[in-house]
Amino acid sequence: MSFVGIVTHGGAGSPKEWRDGCEHSADIGLKQLLENHSAYEAVLKAVVFLEDDGRYNAGSGSSYRLDGKTIEMDAAVMSSDGKLGAVACISGVKNPVLVASEVVCSPHHILSGAGSVLFARKKGFPEYYPDIRWAKERYEKLLTTFLKKNGDSAAEYEIQDFVKNWNFETASSEIFPLDTVGAVAKDKNGNFAVAVSTGGSGAMLKGRVGDTPLIGSGFFAGAHGAVACTGIGEEIMKKLLAKTVYDLLAQGIAPEAACEKGVRLFPETIPVGVIAVSLEGAGYFSNTGMAAAILERRE
Ligand code: GLY
């Protein structure tokens, strides 16, 4: 029986009321798959939708860094037929995931910072600075979390850890805790793909890079499936979470169970979510709220 499917998510910590955006993006991706487009095209279109939505921490909804004005974004794409591209700490573009897809066609796999911005301009991406409504709200929440020290699980940091490493131009006294979007899909030809995009995590210094653009950490795709992760990048990268879950899929473990095993590697105080698609189906699991949607067709 031929199976096509897509899973999308709105980030660890995203409220279930935001599931409509994930459903809509999965619907866009599924239509691509049913029209014989590749899993790669499907996840790109799905993630562009999530980047443009403005509620999720990616693209137009990206969070501020600790200075309250800097936005730096990470994104990546990968397919089982060999495509791989990522951008790290990119700014001033509307859709980092589309820039990542241009990196696929370059001699490199990851471009970062100023170089990634110049690359984007060269490829015709205009200057764009997102609507900052949600970023402002998140920034205020971050401030409140630090000031009240109310035990927000996402912020196991001490403010002094940031103050002593401060690398913004403004003073650290002007300071002060959301996550990634992603899609994984399988197409009619049996190819898998993943796309991920983020405005980062909770409290971030300038130049900080999370798990999202790191192969095997925030994303992975191969002959056995595709995996995307969300949560605290500093923790996810230490466990190479996406590759760890992919290896479980390769052992024949069903997607939801594989995602759960991956998430259970972390204490519950660390918010983590994983979505996955394999030869047999699609699934997701998180230890915190995570808006997500699965759409499949079997013929
Ligand atoms: N998972 C997104 C980040 O840590 O940047």
Side-chain angles (χ1 to χ4, degrees), residues 74 179-180 198-201 204 208-212 229-234 236:
D74 302 333
D179 211 88
T180 316
T198 189
S201 190
M204 298 172 291
R208 178 265 186 191
V209 175
D211 59 301
T212 300
C229 303
T230 172
I232 306 296
E234 281 72 7
I236 289 173

Side-chain angles (χ1 to χ4, degrees), residues 50-188:
L50 292 168
E51 285 181 335
D52 291 347
D53 183 284
R55 289 174 290 178
Y56 312 105
N57 180 11
S60 296
S62 292
S63 296
Y64 287 127
R65 305 255 151 174
L66 277 164
D67 64 344
K69 60 182 183 188
T70 300
I71 289 181
E72 293 173 321
M73 303 166 286
D74 302 333
V77 291
M78 186 175 184
S79 68
S80 57
D81 60 0
K83 296 182 182 70
L84 174 61
V87 288
C89 272
I90 194 168
S91 54
V93 295
K94 187 165 187 263
N95 295 108
V97 76
L98 292 180
V99 185
S101 75
E102 289 291 342
V103 176
V104 170
C105 311
S106 81
H108 304 300
H109 292 311
I110 309 180
L111 288 175
S112 69
S116 65
V117 177
L118 290 172
F119 173 81
R121 300 288 175 256
K122 175 101 186 164
K123 296 291 169 185
F125 291 88
E127 219 170 318
Y128 176 85
Y129 295 95
D131 179 341
I132 52 173
R133 203 164 32 112
W134 294 99
K136 269 187 180 150
E137 282 181 16
R138 285 184 203 132
Y139 184 72
E140 275 156 23
K141 193 172 163 213
L142 178 70
L143 240 174
T144 309
T145 303
F146 270 119
L147 292 181
K148 288 188 179 164
K149 288 193 183 300
N150 66 3
D152 182 300
S153 56
E156 291 190 335
Y157 323 104
E158 283 298 328
I159 192 62
Q160 287 312 318
D161 292 339
F162 288 98
V163 170
K164 71 185 178 209
N165 291 301
W166 198 251
N167 64 352
F168 296 100
E169 282 158 16
T170 50
S172 60
S173 57
E174 293 166 32
I175 326 172
F176 311 147
L178 230 111
D179 211 88
T180 316
V181 302
V184 294
K186 175 183 174 290
D187 63 30
K188 286 186 176 170

